[in-house]
């Protein structure tokens, strides 16, 4: 066993993988290329769709409310997750064993920062929904300044949480405390990370249960005093359903991974945590894929803006193709100093020639 008091900052990751008794990655080159190709397609969708969510909130003035600002910030965290997945895919397998300690910290830090940002955004959105529902309004009265401060606070906390292992909470100087899933992360850090996130999950679920019971009781009280059904457009139920769906997908996709990290931190020898490593990463990718679909499916205004953006992109692409076609170089049969005539110009020339013949 290596000396416990010695630090190994200059070692490459294969040293720490061997210390954690991780067998060599059994992916062959064909499997790795397939994973990278399919993963790249998913990541392209994640980046493009979440960029469209952010653009929709920016260009559509009907979405200029605190809820949508926070929702676009959640899309920004998913956008960062897409970048993190791309970096991870091309630094996995045998390549991961050749990484430096700094490269591994960057790889894991991007993932941890995106997860922390998503979780913090969902918590802030839950609080915003709670405030709006308690006042029985579609949108809360949070000012743009307060929303901006909340967004800055979310990213400050997320970046700090992603950088904690590289700031010193690691096992580089204590190899006996290294985890198996993350070979240079301390088991104590994995316990803290997983427990804190699971606690935040419980807090958000309790907030939405409180919102649900309040809305149900309020609706029961108002129903006898209203003619017909209550106008749901004046109630915050619509937006609550959207964010509850997002929260449900997030919990389903991330809870198994956090539980496995907790078991690894507790040094569970019989749990075989390495068997679930790839499937848990796939669940994490699916979460970032699902979120933009949920936004557009549950929110008609967002979906309308999406379609307008797609139409605009399509028309811009057609104009670019048309301009490139008009800027084609002269063919060998054309005389120097002349430009090729388009079909419309040819028809006009023929028409003018015919008119001249008719007048003659």
């Amino acid at each position: 066993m290596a000396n416990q008091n010695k630090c190994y900052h200059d070692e490459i990751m294969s040293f720490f993988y061997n210390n954690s008794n991780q067998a060599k990655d059994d992916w062959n080159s064909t499997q790795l290329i397939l994973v990278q190709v399919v993963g790249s397609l998913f990541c392209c969708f994640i980046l493009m769709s979440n960029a469209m969510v952010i653009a929709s909130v920016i260009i559509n003035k009907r979405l200029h409310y605190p809820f949508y600002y926070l929702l676009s910030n959640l899309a920004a965290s998913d956008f960062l997750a897409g970048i993190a997945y791309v970096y991870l895919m091309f630094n996995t397998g045998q390549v991961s064993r050749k990484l430096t300690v700094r490269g591994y910290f960057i790889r894991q830090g991007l993932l941890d920062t995106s997860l922390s940002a998503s979780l913090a955004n969902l918590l802030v959105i839950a609080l915003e929904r709670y405030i709006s529902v308690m006042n029985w309004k579609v949108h809360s009265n949070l000012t743009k300044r307060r929303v901006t401060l909340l967004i800055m606070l979310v990213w400050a906390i997320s970046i700090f949480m992603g950088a904690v292992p590289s700031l010193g909470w690691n096992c580089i100087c204590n190899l006996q405390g290294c985890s198996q899933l993350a070979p240079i992360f301390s088991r104590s850090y994995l316990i803290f990370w997983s427990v804190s996130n699971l606690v935040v999950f419980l807090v958000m679920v309790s907030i939405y249960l409180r919102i649900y019971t309040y809305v149900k009781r309020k609706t029961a009280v108002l129903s006898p005093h209203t003619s017909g059904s209550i106008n749901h457009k004046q109630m915050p139920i619509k937006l609550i359903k959207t964010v509850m769906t997002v929260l449900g997908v997030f919990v389903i996709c991330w809870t198994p991974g956090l539980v496995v990290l907790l078991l690894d931190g507790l040094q569970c020898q019989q749990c075989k945590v390495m068997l679930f490593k790839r499937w848990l990463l796939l669940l994490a990718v699916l979460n970032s894929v699902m979120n933009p679909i949920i936004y557009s499916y549950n929110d008609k205004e967002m979906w309308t803006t999406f379609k307008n953006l797609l139409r605009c992109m399509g028309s811009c692409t057609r104009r670019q193709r048309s301009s490139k076609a008009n800027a084609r170089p002269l063919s060998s049969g054309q005389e120097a100093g002349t430009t090729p005539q388009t079909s419309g110009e040819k028809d006009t020339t023929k028409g003018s020639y015919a008119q001249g013949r008719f007048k003659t």
Side-chain angles (χ1 to χ4, degrees):
M1 179 63 66
N3 187 3
Q4 184 174 347
N5 297 324
K6 183 180 179 180
C7 296
Y8 300 89
H9 294 281
D10 297 330
E11 297 287 346
I12 61 174
M13 285 307 301
S14 60
F15 173 83
F16 297 98
Y17 278 110
N18 294 332
N19 175 71
S20 298
N21 296 323
Q22 281 200 31
K24 290 188 177 181
D25 205 313
D26 56 354
W27 281 4
N28 57 43
S29 58
T30 304
Q31 290 176 330
L32 188 58
I33 292 174
L34 180 62
V35 168
Q36 290 174 345
V37 170
V38 176
S40 297
L41 293 175
F42 276 109
C43 289
C44 287
F45 176 80
I46 292 172
L47 295 174
M48 185 182 70
S49 57
N50 284 288
M52 289 181 63
V53 172
I54 298 171
S56 299
V57 175
I58 293 174
I59 65 177
N60 191 343
K61 293 184 178 180
R62 295 182 180 179
L63 302 179
H64 288 186
Y65 291 100
F67 171 78
Y68 289 106
Y69 293 146
L70 297 173
L71 198 66
S72 65
N73 197 41
L74 180 60
S77 64
D78 284 327
F79 188 90
L80 176 62
I83 297 175
Y85 296 143
V86 171
Y87 189 84
L88 174 63
M89 280 187 303
F90 290 94
N91 290 277
T92 190
Q94 292 299 322
V95 179
S96 62
R97 293 178 173 272
K98 300 177 183 178
L99 291 175
T100 62
V101 170
R102 182 180 179 183
Y104 189 86
F105 276 138
I106 293 174
R107 194 187 81 170
Q108 298 303 120
L110 287 173
L111 288 173
D112 293 346
T113 301
S114 63
L115 172 60
S116 298
S118 298
L119 191 59
N121 274 304
L122 286 172
L123 180 59
V124 172
I125 291 173
L127 295 174
E128 191 272 342
R129 289 295 85 203
Y130 182 81
I131 294 172
S132 64
V133 167
M134 291 301 112
N135 295 321
W136 204 245
K137 294 180 179 179
V138 177
H139 297 286
S140 64
N141 294 325
L142 290 174
T143 61
K144 289 185 177 180
R145 181 182 178 184
R146 290 181 179 178
V147 173
T148 303
L149 291 176
L150 284 174
I151 291 174
M152 293 174 62
L153 180 62
V154 164
W155 284 106
I157 294 174
S158 304
I159 293 172
F160 174 76
M161 291 297 292
V164 164
S166 62
L167 294 176
W169 200 346
N170 54 61
C171 64
I172 295 176
C173 300
N174 180 21
L175 297 182
Q176 293 180 350
C178 291
S179 68
Q180 190 174 6
L181 285 172
I184 58 175
F185 282 23
S186 299
R187 289 194 298 270
S188 58
Y189 173 74
L190 291 188
I191 294 173
F192 161 76
W193 172 263
S194 54
V195 170
S196 59
N197 287 332
L198 289 172
V199 168
V200 175
F201 282 2
L202 292 176
V203 170
M204 288 190 293
V205 170
S206 62
I207 289 175
Y208 281 109
L209 286 176
R210 175 75 177 90
I211 292 174
Y212 175 78
T213 54
Y214 176 80
V215 170
K216 189 175 181 181
R217 185 172 64 251
K218 187 79 171 180
T219 304
V221 171
L222 293 177
S223 295
H225 305 285
T226 56
S227 57
S229 60
I230 300 176
N231 186 4
H232 291 278
K233 291 183 179 180
Q234 303 300 323
M235 296 165 58
I237 302 296
K238 200 173 182 182
L239 301 182
I240 291 173
K241 287 182 178 179
T242 299
V243 74
M244 285 185 70
T245 306
V246 172
L247 176 61
V249 172
F250 187 85
V251 171
I252 292 172
C253 291
W254 281 103
T255 299
L258 293 175
V259 171
V260 170
L261 286 177
L262 178 60
L263 294 176
D264 186 22
L266 295 174
Q267 207 172 2
C268 179
Q269 300 293 339
Q270 300 176 349
C271 298
K272 298 181 179 180
V273 293
M274 294 301 298
L275 294 177
F276 306 99
K277 183 178 180 180
R278 297 171 187 171
W279 299 106
L280 297 177
L281 180 60
L282 178 61
L283 270 177
V285 174
L286 287 177
N287 175 69
S288 298
V289 171
M290 289 295 296
N291 280 347
I293 299 174
I294 296 171
Y295 306 151
S296 59
Y297 179 78
N298 286 345
D299 196 305
K300 292 182 179 179
E301 190 69 34
M302 183 74 74
W303 174 238
T304 302
T305 311
F306 265 41
K307 290 190 292 186
N308 292 335
L309 281 174
L310 290 173
R311 291 194 191 100
C312 180
M313 291 169 62
S315 62
C316 290
T317 303
R318 286 194 295 269
R319 281 197 294 267
Q320 288 178 354
R321 290 178 180 176
S322 177
S323 62
K324 288 181 180 179
N326 292 332
R328 285 180 300 183
L330 297 176
S331 61
S332 59
Q334 292 173 334
E335 297 179 358
T338 61
T339 57
Q341 291 181 330
T342 61
S343 59
E345 292 173 344
K346 289 179 180 179
D347 292 339
T348 305
T349 305
K350 290 180 180 179
S352 301
Y353 179 75
Q355 289 179 0
R357 293 275 296 181
F358 179 77
K359 288 180 180 180
T360 303

